[in-house]
């Protein structure tokens, strides 16, 4: 039985236009995200077969595949909800997300400095990848992580709360090779309410990373 399923989009294909075209949303969700879900489920079946037969010659590749597909599924599931056609701007207290705004200012110095770092991290990821704003539980601060493929330069206990997909399939049909233009446009559709909810949830379970008894 499949463990992972493709989540439905929280809006229709045209909801993020003109920042992201309906065609990209449809292909990205229905084809690319679906492929990561299938890949994760298929790899779990292959690992079960390896356990049953005691054949471990391909275990390194299977473990890498599981991390790749499962991380892709998780990051995309966050990505869809991080965006809204009514988004953009920056988190403000008057909009009920003042705690998130304060955390960004404390962790990065200002919203503009945070925006610059996440934009640069997203645009310069080696090969295909993501820029990620994450809650880091050991320090209780927000950090920016640079994810190549779907894994990469991440802290083991950090929780993603805002993700920018910088894979070509996320933008090429509309922005061609202008990744920087796509990332700049992404700021127009960020759903700060969703990011704030994820920040609150991450903080509440932040002590779950047990480093010593």
């Amino acid at each position: 039985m499949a463990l992972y399923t493709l989540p439905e989009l929280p809006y229709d294909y045209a909801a993020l236009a003109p920042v992201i075209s309906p065609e990209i949303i449809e292909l990205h969700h229905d084809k690319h995200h679906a492929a990561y879900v299938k890949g994760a489920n298929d790899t779990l079946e292959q690992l079960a077969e390896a356990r049953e037969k005691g054949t471990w010659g391909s275990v390194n590749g299977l473990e890498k595949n599981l991390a790749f597909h499962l991380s892709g599924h998780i990051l995309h599931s966050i990505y869809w909800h991080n965006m809204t056609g009514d988004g953009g701007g920056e988190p403000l207290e008057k909009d009920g997300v003042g705690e998130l705004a304060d955390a960004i200012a404390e962790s990065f110095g200002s919203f503009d400095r945070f925006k610059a770092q996440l934009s640069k991290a997203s645009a310069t990821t080696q090969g295909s990848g993501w820029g990620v704003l994450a809650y880091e539980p050991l320090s209780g601060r927000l950090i920016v992580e640079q994810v190549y493929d779907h894994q990469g330069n991440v802290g083991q206990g950090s929780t993603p709360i805002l993700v920018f997909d910088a894979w070509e399939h996320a933008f090429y049909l509309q922005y061609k090779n202008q990744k920087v233009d796509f990332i700049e446009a992404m700021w127009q559709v960020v759903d700060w309410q969703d990011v704030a909810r994820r920040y609150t949830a991450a903080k509440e379970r932040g002590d779950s990373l047990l480093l010593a008894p």
Side-chain angles (χ1 to χ4, degrees):
M1 184 176 67
L3 292 180
Y4 304 110
T5 58
L6 180 68
E8 293 185 5
L9 286 171
Y11 35 69
D12 62 39
Y13 295 137
L16 303 179
V19 173
I20 307 178
S21 70
E23 182 183 17
I24 288 179
I25 295 294
E26 182 176 6
L27 289 171
H28 195 169
H29 176 267
D30 296 2
K31 302 298 183 182
H32 291 280
H33 189 172
Y36 298 127
V37 173
K38 183 178 186 302
N41 287 322
D42 288 350
T43 305
L44 286 176
E45 290 183 5
Q46 293 165 28
L47 284 166
E49 182 179 356
R51 290 192 299 272
E52 181 179 349
K53 296 180 178 179
T55 53
W56 299 109
S58 60
V59 65
N60 287 346
L62 289 174
E63 296 290 0
K64 182 176 181 181
N65 285 345
L66 181 61
F68 175 82
H69 290 297
L70 181 54
S71 295
H73 172 39
I74 291 170
L75 287 167
H76 280 93
S77 297
I78 297 170
Y79 180 67
W80 305 124
H81 286 274
N82 273 169
M83 298 183 291
T84 175
D86 299 322
E90 62 181 277
L92 298 171
E93 184 176 359
K94 69 179 182 65
D95 297 322
V97 291
E99 188 176 4
L100 173 64
D102 291 343
I104 288 174
E106 180 179 353
S107 298
F108 299 99
S110 70
F111 176 80
D112 287 340
R113 292 176 181 178
F114 152 67
K115 180 179 178 181
Q117 183 177 345
L118 182 56
S119 294
K120 186 61 70 173
S122 303
T124 60
T125 302
Q126 293 178 340
S128 299
W130 301 69
V132 175
L133 173 66
Y135 175 77
E136 198 288 292
L138 293 185
S139 65
R141 296 173 65 87
L142 294 173
I143 60 173
V144 165
E145 296 182 320
Q146 196 176 49
V147 178
Y148 49 89
D149 287 340
H150 295 315
Q151 297 127 266
N153 301 333
V154 299
Q156 295 302 305
S158 59
T159 300
I161 64 172
L162 173 62
V163 298
F164 278 14
D165 190 345
W167 283 65
E168 285 191 347
H169 64 238
F171 64 88
Y172 197 84
L173 287 176
Q174 185 174 353
Y175 292 85
K176 306 308 179 190
N177 63 337
Q178 300 303 313
K179 182 190 294 187
V180 172
D181 291 346
F182 168 66
I183 292 167
E184 182 60 31
M186 272 289 299
W187 292 100
Q188 300 175 41
V189 294
V190 173
D191 186 346
W192 292 114
Q193 298 291 332
D194 181 72
V195 179
R197 286 191 293 269
R198 294 178 187 278
Y199 173 61
T200 298
K203 283 204 310 175
E204 289 177 349
R205 63 174 181 267
D207 61 355
S208 63
L209 184 61
L210 185 62
L211 297 184

